[in-house]
Amino acid sequence: MNFANRLAVSSLGSSNSETLFDWAGKTKRLEEINACMGAPGFWDNQESAQSTMNQLKQINAALKPLQELLTGADDLGVMLEFADEAGGEEMVGEIQQTVASLSEKFSEVELQAMLSAPEDASSAYIAVQSGEGGTDAQDFAEMLLRMYQRWAERRGFSTELLETSPAEEAGIHSATLAIRGPYVYGLLKGETGNHRLIRMSPFDAAHRRQTSFAAVDVTPELDDSYSVEINWDEDVREDIFRSGGAGGQKVNKTDSAIRLTHLATNTVVQCQNERSQHQNRALARKMMIAKLYQIEMDRRENELAAKRGQKSRIGFGGGTIRSYVLHPESYCKDNRSEYKTSHPESALDGDLDPWIDAYLRWAMTQSKS
């Protein structure tokens, strides 16, 4: 559907478009947050205040492009009326440029409108783990870690490497990266699953073709409004170990790293980035809550999918979701949306937005079928 048709369908500039993108709901919530921030004692509870500030950033991030789109649509309407009255052939170029700009903004707003789940607006934890393929797989895992770091950099999001386990020869066994910004989880949730790399191995003396795998898991970084019942003394085993790896001066080389294992689900998280054992424990517990919340959401989603006769969501360590082929051909293909390009290096360098857009649109069609 071209922009003109989408513009007509959405009736931009009218009350229909405001309803479509929940303009009223977002502006009302913005007013509530501003009132809350102006109340006495707002900063007395630092965690609650920070959670509110994060919500403010998320709402502003959603409202700004929508306001620009609505204003641009009104301006376009004025331009079209003026051109119609004056004959205005000389305005054709300006109108085409405005339409192209609005089309790009519309796609951004339309994409954000797909992220309707409450947790979609959250920041995210990205866990990367090497799979089959030996040293090549370990190198591939590090390539994926860099891919998400570069994507975050392109988007202007902040990153924090929470833990990493370097491999012996090259690459990493595993790593956990926090990416913080509006709608990070919603944008990256489709990255969960196995990724495959096919290339001529730089670690093989004969330079033979090698297929290697790495798994990615994405979970939301949840605020205090989400709760999961956990008995930390009985349900979770805690292991304390010495921080190591590429942490630089920030990593304290003492027994401060924390690994938590949820016994019932065998879910494991660990954190070694902070200076103190207390800080690592607090962040590891936050990560565990996020993981268990995600497990419950996946369970419910899979039950609904089974009732609809659909396949369950591909999860961490499940089927291959994307292939990066560097030899003998050169392409990158998503196995779900069928989106494919001939430039795998671009994706590996963090240009993931086309893949994210294709996945979300595919996921929307799946939910409606």
Side-chain angles (χ1 to χ4, degrees), residues 92-349:
V92 171
E94 185 179 355
I95 290 173
Q96 289 176 336
Q97 186 176 3
T98 301
V99 168
S101 176
L102 284 175
S103 179
E104 184 176 345
K105 283 187 173 65
F106 185 93
S107 295
E108 293 175 4
V109 175
E110 189 179 40
L111 180 63
Q112 195 170 66
M114 300 178 195
L115 309 178
S116 57
E119 63 272 15
D120 283 346
S122 304
S123 299
Y125 302 116
I126 317 296
V128 181
Q129 181 177 308
S130 63
E132 296 179 11
T135 303
D136 276 278
Q138 294 157 7
D139 185 53
F140 181 37
E142 188 170 46
M143 291 167 64
L144 291 178
L145 177 64
R146 177 185 176 276
M147 179 178 77
Y148 295 119
Q149 289 172 319
R150 291 283 290 119
W151 176 81
E153 181 182 321
R154 287 168 178 258
R155 281 271 184 161
F157 298 145
S158 65
T159 62
E160 181 182 7
L161 188 60
L162 301 178
E163 63 88 16
T164 182
S165 175
E168 293 74 17
E169 184 177 349
I172 58 174
H173 291 296
S174 63
T176 303
L177 177 72
I179 302 181
R180 297 190 172 99
Y183 292 92
V184 173
Y185 174 71
L187 293 169
L188 289 183
K189 60 187 177 182
E191 295 297 303
T192 293
N194 273 344
H195 296 239
R196 177 174 61 181
L197 174 69
I198 301 176
R199 64 173 175 176
M200 304 300 288
S201 173
F203 306 102
D204 187 319
H207 205 53
R208 290 170 292 191
R209 188 173 67 174
Q210 172 74 31
T211 299
S212 52
F213 295 86
V216 174
D217 188 31
V218 183
T219 54
E221 184 179 53
L222 304 176
D223 58 31
D224 295 337
S225 63
Y226 296 84
S227 62
V228 176
E229 290 187 12
I230 303 176
N231 185 325
W232 295 104
D233 294 328
E234 297 181 7
D235 299 344
V236 178
R237 184 180 73 241
E238 178 181 295
D239 297 308
I240 302 172
F241 60 100
R242 177 155 295 191
S243 298
Q249 294 181 351
K250 188 173 181 181
V251 174
N252 188 10
K253 303 300 184 180
T254 61
D255 292 336
S256 62
I258 298 292
R259 180 185 299 111
L260 301 179
T261 304
H262 187 254
L263 301 176
T265 61
N266 198 35
T267 300
V268 180
V269 299
Q270 64 184 47
C271 183
Q272 65 181 45
N273 190 54
E274 303 298 337
R275 291 183 180 276
S276 75
Q277 186 182 113
H278 173 74
Q279 290 173 314
N280 281 323
R281 178 180 294 109
L283 186 49
R285 287 189 173 190
K286 191 175 181 181
M287 293 165 63
M288 178 62 76
I289 290 172
K291 289 283 290 182
L292 295 180
Y293 175 86
Q294 183 67 60
I295 288 172
E296 176 61 20
M297 292 301 98
D298 289 347
R299 184 188 66 78
R300 295 180 185 180
E301 183 179 328
N302 290 340
E303 286 181 354
L304 290 174
K307 289 180 181 179
R308 295 193 296 260
Q310 297 173 334
K311 292 182 179 180
S312 298
R313 186 181 79 97
I314 296 174
F316 188 48
T320 299
I321 64 164
R322 188 180 303 145
S323 297
Y324 310 77
V325 181
L326 307 183
H327 185 85
E329 301 175 80
S330 179
Y331 68 87
C332 187
K333 180 181 179 181
D334 191 280
N335 294 346
R336 301 155 302 178
S337 66
E338 300 293 324
Y339 181 75
K340 181 178 180 180
T341 75
S342 58
H343 304 288
E345 296 86 357
S346 178
L348 290 169
D349 195 42

Side-chain angles (χ1 to χ4, degrees), residues 24-36:
K26 288 182 174 67
T27 52
K28 180 181 179 182
R29 181 56 184 152
L30 184 62
E31 293 172 359
E32 293 173 349
I33 290 176
N34 286 329
C36 179

Side-chain angles (χ1 to χ4, degrees), residues 53-123:
M53 292 297 293
N54 289 338
Q55 290 184 50
L56 179 64
K57 291 179 182 178
Q58 292 164 358
I59 292 175
N60 281 330
L63 285 177
K64 182 180 178 181
L66 181 54
Q67 179 61 68
E68 291 175 350
L69 184 60
L70 292 171
T71 301
D74 288 339
D75 292 345
L76 178 61
V78 172
M79 291 173 62
L80 290 172
E81 288 180 8
F82 183 79
D84 186 52
E85 291 174 359
E89 293 184 4
E90 67 279 2
M91 296 183 64
V92 171
E94 185 179 355
I95 290 173
Q96 289 176 336
Q97 186 176 3
T98 301
V99 168
S101 176
L102 284 175
S103 179
E104 184 176 345
K105 283 187 173 65
F106 185 93
S107 295
E108 293 175 4
V109 175
E110 189 179 40
L111 180 63
Q112 195 170 66
M114 300 178 195
L115 309 178
S116 57
E119 63 272 15
D120 283 346
S122 304
S123 299

